[in-house]
Amino acid sequence: MKKTVLVVLLACALPTVCWSQRLRKTEFESGMIEKGNKIGVWEYYAYTRDGRQVTVQKYDHTAKKLVFYRPVEDIMYDVQLKPGEWSRSRVDQPPLFIGGDPALATYTTKLIYPPAAQDRKIQGKVLVSFAIDTLGQATGHKVVMGVGGGCDEEAMRVCRTIPNQWIPARKDGRAVPVVYELPFTFRLQAVAQ
């Protein structure tokens, strides 16, 4: 019995023999990884205008549960309180993308400016809406404000590539479906003379 306990203690003292867990820390997130998957509580960061790093989310990837989020702004959403009944309302917790805006930006910045829009000097903001259900799945993508020139289609393409890593909105202690609006900005670069 003592030999078995000693062997287990020695094995876990060697980091390469024990679980292949390691800490991953970047400017936007930190937490443990095991076998390529996030485990345990991860912290997600953003930066204030004066450059301070602040925690915007803590998410337990093992329990698949939000532990903390920093409220950013008070927004009204179209909320489904009863099946088939949607109304404009505030929520106790907004829908959140796991990892916050920096994680979401890794997808939203993959826009390819359509050549037709560039040729015609079309720029502006395309607003895409979609429903986020109680399981964090996004469906029903549609352009609610467009600029044309292929930009609307490009915003839809990119929006549909965003993985379903949404934390559903909560109202009165329960998850509720909401309509979320995501802006995509198309801006031409100034050409140096």
Side-chain angles (χ1 to χ4, degrees):
M1 177 73 173
K2 287 184 181 180
K3 275 187 177 180
T4 307
V5 171
L6 183 59
V7 170
V8 169
L9 288 174
L10 286 175
C12 285
L14 303 172
T16 57
V17 176
C18 243
W19 297 273
S20 59
Q21 291 183 355
R22 61 184 173 86
L23 177 66
R24 177 177 170 193
K25 184 166 176 74
T26 69
E27 63 182 312
F28 295 113
E29 63 185 8
S30 71
M32 297 297 291
I33 290 195
E34 181 178 82
K35 298 179 184 172
N37 296 316
K38 293 180 178 181
I39 60 165
V41 176
W42 275 63
E43 289 191 7
Y44 296 96
Y45 313 108
Y47 291 85
T48 62
R49 289 186 182 148
D50 63 0
R52 287 181 302 119
Q53 184 184 55
V54 293
T55 301
V56 292
Q57 254 182 46
K58 289 183 183 179
Y59 186 80
D60 187 336
H61 286 271
T62 304
K64 299 195 182 319
K65 184 175 182 182
L66 182 68
V67 178
F68 165 83
Y69 81 97
R70 179 180 303 276
V72 179
E73 53 189 305
D74 188 21
I75 299 174
M76 301 269 291
Y77 293 92
D78 287 333
V79 180
Q80 185 180 28
L81 298 173
K82 293 179 183 174
E85 289 183 28
W86 292 82
S87 62
R88 199 92 173 135
S89 178
R90 285 185 170 72
V91 293
D92 304 329
Q93 172 194 303
L96 302 166
F97 190 75
I98 296 173
D101 289 342
L104 186 57
T106 62
Y107 301 99
T108 59
T109 56
K110 293 182 180 179
L111 290 173
I112 299 169
Y113 215 122
Q118 289 181 38
D119 294 346
R120 293 173 34 207
K121 300 193 181 346
I122 294 173
Q123 39 185 3
K125 187 182 294 184
V126 176
L127 194 60
V128 177
S129 75
F130 49 92
I132 300 173
D133 67 17
T134 58
L135 299 175
Q137 306 291 310
T139 58
H141 298 74
K142 62 182 174 184
V143 173
V144 292
M145 183 176 78
V147 295
C151 295
D152 305 351
E153 293 80 4
E154 177 61 9
M156 281 288 285
R157 180 193 70 78
V158 170
C159 196
R160 286 188 173 125
T161 67
I162 297 170
N164 282 318
Q165 297 176 350
W166 293 94
I167 301 167
R170 298 191 73 77
K171 185 167 177 66
D172 301 328
R174 65 183 181 92
V176 291
V178 298
V179 173
Y180 188 83
E181 294 180 343
L182 188 61
F184 293 87
T185 303
F186 291 85
R187 185 171 294 121
L188 293 167
Q189 300 297 319
V191 178
Q193 297 282 347

